[in-house]
Structure formats: C-alpha cells, structure tokens
Amino acid sequence: LYAAGGMSISVLGPTFKDLAENVNKDISNISYIFVGRSAGYIGGSLVGGVLFDRMSPHLLLGFSMLLTSLGMYAIPFCRQAAVLTAFMSSIGMTMGVLDTGGNVLILNTWGEHSGPHMQALHFSYAAGAFASPIIAKMLFGHHGNSTHSVHPNTSHSSSTFTVTESMWAYVVISSFVFLFSLFFFVLHSRSTSPLDKPRTSPGRPLVARHHVALVALLFLFFFAYVGAEVAYGSFIFTFATDYAGMSQAEAAGLNSAFWGVFAAARGLAIFFAACLRPGALILLCLVGSTVSSLLLCLFSSQNVSLWVCTSLYGASMATTFPSGISWLEQYTTVTAHTAAVFVVGAALGEMVLPAIVGFLLGKFPHQPLLMYLSLITATFTSILFPVMYKLASAPGSQGSKRADADDGDGEYRQALLYSGGDEEEELN
C-alpha cells in the first residue's frame, strides 16, 4: 500500500525537469503542480476520514489505488500544464484517501500496540520512494535526454509528440499500483466483516483533556516536517545538478541515497519501536535533523559533505511521522477524523513548502535555499515538540489509556484523559 504511495510521490523529483519540458515550461513556472497535488491530497484526506467509517476499508483503499494507477499512467502524455496539474490533483486526492485509511486501519487493528506495525507501514513508503529515482533515471534515464515519438492513431492528423525515456517510469509505477489495487479487492471479497470494529466503546471514546490543542499542534508539526521531507526529496536532484555540479547519474544516486537511508532507518525503527517509546524516537530524529541540516547549510557545495549529511538527514527524518501518530495514541484516541487532520496538515506542508522552494530555485539557483528550509523546519519542530509534550503531561492527571495495563509508567499516567460523555453531563 504505502510502497506504491512512496513511488508515486518521490518520482516527481527526478522527473521534474522532464515534466517541465513536456509542457514547455521552466521549472520555476511549473512548481504549482505541487499545489495541485497537495490540494487534491487535502480533499482526499477529508473525504477518506468520512468514508473510512462508512464503507469497507479494503474496498475504499482498492478503489483509491486503482484511480492512482490511472492517473500515473496519464502523466507522461500530458502536453499542457493545466492538464498535468489536473492529473496531479487527482493523484493527490486518491493518495490522501490512502494515507488516512492506511494509518487508521493500522490503529484500528493493533491499537496502542501499533508502534512497530505503524513503522512497518511507513517503511514500505520509504522503500517505494527509494526505488522511484532508480526507476526514473538509472533504468530509463541512462541515455540522457533521448526520446520516443508517439503518433496519434488518427487518419487525418500528422502531429507527433515525444516522451522522454525517464517518463516511462510513470507507466511502470502505474502498473505496480494497479497490481496492489487488485490485492485489496481480493481482501475485500474474502472479508467476513465489512467494517473493522472500533477500538473504544462507541459514544464514550477516551480523549485527552487537551485533545484539540494537541491535535492542532501536531497539525503544525506535520506541516513543517512533511513539507521539508517532500521538498528535500523532490529537489535534492535539481539542487545537486544545478548548485553542486553533479551529473544526472550522480544526482539520481544522491536522491536514492536520501530515500534509501530513509527506508533503512524506518526498517530499523520497526525493531526500535518495540523497545523505545515514540517520544524517544521523535527526540532522536529532531536532534539528527537539526544537526544535519545545519551542516548542509554550511557545507552544501562540497560533494562529500552533501552525501554524508543527506544520508544523515534522511535517517533523521525517517520515523518522525509514524512515531508522532503513535505518540499521540498514548494520550488520546486517534479516529479517522483525527487522522484526517494530520494528513491535511502534512498535505498543506507538502503543498506550500515545495512550491516555495521550486519557485525560489528558479530565481536564485546559486543559493542553497533547500538547505535553509531544512534548517528552519528542523528548528521549528524541535521547539514545538517539547511544547506538545509539556501539554500532554501537564500535572493534575486523572489517569491514561494504559495506566491500568502499565502500572508505574509515568509517561502514560501523565496523559489527561476524560470521557466525552462525562464532559457533556457536567455541561448539562
């Protein structure tokens, strides 16, 4: 599921210039496709949050992946910027449904013990993101800018258009996503119950006393984190070729190194999540991302430093998102609607920050703007997380979701939980 999502998201980076050439635009004038994709992502997240509680999750995920496959297949043949943006927006919408549904399905299945499973889900995303640059540039793009002519099948038209070899990566990824959609349709056909049972008793879910504030702060946290992650993964290829002077093959290797280390760290996090609390994993990630982004700002023109710090940055960014969801699950119930809020925050970050970087890179190609963004977002999230932790562990606790199961566990005891029904009774 998430492997297909990772491939669909990260393939945009190494093929960004080819997309611009297809629609006869400069890269600084096509960065709005990120806005289109993320706008669709936001809409899909909201729709997914509603539909997930009303229909079979397997059927919903299967349809979403099928539509993603169709959109990815059409991308190489878009010759107008408006059409390209429309398809990017549709892909973003289906990916938003997949993101919300996948996270909630894991939480519904394993609840408070979902940490390793959540890390495994997001590891598959990173594995797909690692494979995309290899497919796009090392397999299909090794002949440089060679193209294939495509002739419309009409008797009266003599027009032709060319498709850059790297663009065929979209066709390969589309086929992969299509196969995954069939898998979910099979799961739906063999499912005994159309809907998963909720983790908590209906009508009285346990939520943190500061539930709204925590969700709002985590919304901002994911806005900065995901925006920086997607911006770096999407533009490190362009940055390496235009600013650091790397060849396309070297830049594709650097792009894959980022996603490869990202995937490897998420794979290791599956085991770390079994023995470390999500808060500890987040803290390690924040320290690593801040240090690596600072070094990238200082030594971004040196290739060795770029390779080492990019790898460190990828490892440091790896477990933040799944650990953030698991961390909040310790203190409050994460429903489909709550997960939709997170995904919307992530989608807004994915929409705004890469669009800004894409526009500025075209205007100031000799400035390490990508590295400046990484440092700013790393600093922001490093300040925000202690605020969230302080709010969640404020004094005056009445217990927590796992206080009975994990007696003596201070972190869980400090969560301020109450029943929504109790608050309504007090108001009445």
Side-chain angles (χ1 to χ4, degrees):
L1 168 62
Y2 264 42
M7 295 174 75
S8 302
I9 292 294
S10 68
V11 72
L12 181 57
T15 61
F16 190 57
K17 286 185 176 180
D18 298 326
L19 288 174
E21 292 176 3
N22 267 9
V23 296
N24 297 317
K25 296 283 188 179
D26 185 75
I27 61 171
S28 63
N29 296 323
I30 199 180
S31 59
Y32 53 77
I33 65 174
F34 289 102
V35 178
R37 185 177 68 178
S38 295
Y41 212 97
I42 294 171
S45 303
L46 296 175
V47 171
V50 174
L51 292 182
F52 197 83
D53 293 330
R54 289 169 170 78
M55 63 181 295
S56 166
H58 296 140
L59 183 62
L60 178 61
L61 295 176
F63 271 121
S64 298
M65 297 194 77
L66 179 61
L67 294 176
T68 301
S69 173
L70 296 176
M72 290 291 292
Y73 182 82
I75 290 297
F77 307 101
C78 293
R79 307 301 293 175
Q80 296 182 359
V83 177
L84 176 63
T85 304
F87 275 109
M88 282 292 182
S89 180
S90 66
I91 292 173
M93 179 171 289
T94 55
M95 292 301 300
V97 175
L98 290 172
D99 203 352
T100 301
N103 285 303
V104 176
L105 186 61
I106 290 291
L107 292 174
N108 282 349
T109 304
W110 286 283
E112 296 159 4
H113 305 285
S114 62
H117 307 285
M118 187 70 71
Q119 297 290 349
L121 178 71
H122 288 267
F123 163 71
S124 66
Y125 171 91
F130 169 70
S132 278
I134 297 177
I135 296 173
K137 286 298 181 183
M138 294 186 176
L139 294 183
F140 288 104
H142 59 283
H143 294 302
N145 295 323
S146 59
T147 58
H148 296 286
S149 295
V150 180
H151 301 264
N153 187 22
T154 59
S155 58
H156 59 278
S157 175
S158 59
S159 62
T160 63
F161 61 89
T162 57
V163 177
T164 306
E165 278 196 358
S166 62
M167 301 301 290
W168 291 103
Y170 285 91
V171 178
V172 173
I173 294 172
S174 171
S175 302
F176 182 76
V177 176
F178 175 75
L179 292 177
F180 260 87
S181 69
L182 297 180
F183 173 74
F184 277 97
F185 286 131
V186 171
L187 285 180
H188 170 69
S189 65
R190 297 191 175 187
S191 177
T192 56
S193 59
L195 295 175
D196 289 328
K197 296 181 180 179
R199 300 188 308 282
T200 57
S201 57
R204 297 174 64 88
L206 291 177
V207 295
R209 188 173 298 278
H210 300 294
H211 176 83
V212 175
L214 285 172
V215 171
L217 290 175
L218 205 57
F219 172 94
L220 296 175
F221 185 89
F222 285 149
F223 172 90
Y225 159 74
V226 175
E229 173 196 319
V230 173
Y232 200 91
S234 297
F235 286 104
I236 186 58
F237 178 89
T238 303
F239 178 88
T241 54
D242 294 349
Y243 183 84
M246 290 185 176
S247 66
Q248 287 199 4
E250 290 175 326
L254 181 65
N255 202 160
S256 288
F258 172 76
W259 290 114
V261 175
F262 188 91
R266 277 193 171 174
L268 292 174
I270 298 173
F271 305 99
F272 290 149
C275 56
L276 291 176
R277 295 175 184 171
L281 289 174
I282 294 175
L283 183 60
L284 291 174
C285 290
L286 293 176
V287 172
S289 61
T290 303
V291 172
S292 58
S293 59
L294 177 61
L295 294 176
L296 283 168
C297 288
L298 297 176
F299 307 106
S300 57
S301 60
Q302 302 179 15
N303 286 0
V304 174
S305 175
L306 194 57
W307 279 91
V308 173
C309 293
T310 292
S311 300
L312 177 59
Y313 188 67
S316 301
M317 298 288 281
T319 65
T320 306
F321 193 90
S323 296
I325 297 176
S326 299
W327 177 80
L328 187 65
E329 175 69 14
Q330 295 175 344
Y331 299 102
T332 189
T333 299
V334 179
T335 63
H337 297 83
T338 305
V341 173
F342 300 155
V343 177
V344 167
L348 283 173
E350 180 185 339
M351 175 175 63
V352 175
L353 299 187
I356 293 175
V357 172
F359 175 78
L360 293 179
L361 280 180
K363 301 296 183 181
F364 307 98
H366 302 297
Q367 295 294 327
L369 299 175
L370 181 63
M371 308 312 171
Y372 294 156
L373 173 71
S374 301
L375 180 59
I376 292 171
T377 53
T379 303
F380 175 75
T381 52
S382 296
I383 295 173
L384 191 59
F385 180 68
V387 176
M388 293 191 297
Y389 184 85
K390 183 67 176 178
L391 186 62
S393 58
S397 169
Q398 297 177 347
S400 73
K401 292 180 71 176
R402 291 182 58 184
D404 295 335
D406 297 312
D407 188 31
D409 191 332
E411 180 177 357
Y412 290 123
R413 285 167 174 251
Q414 291 172 353
L416 303 178
L417 296 176
Y418 70 97
S419 170
D422 294 340
E423 186 183 57
E424 294 177 359
E425 291 173 2
E426 293 175 2
L427 292 176
N428 295 330

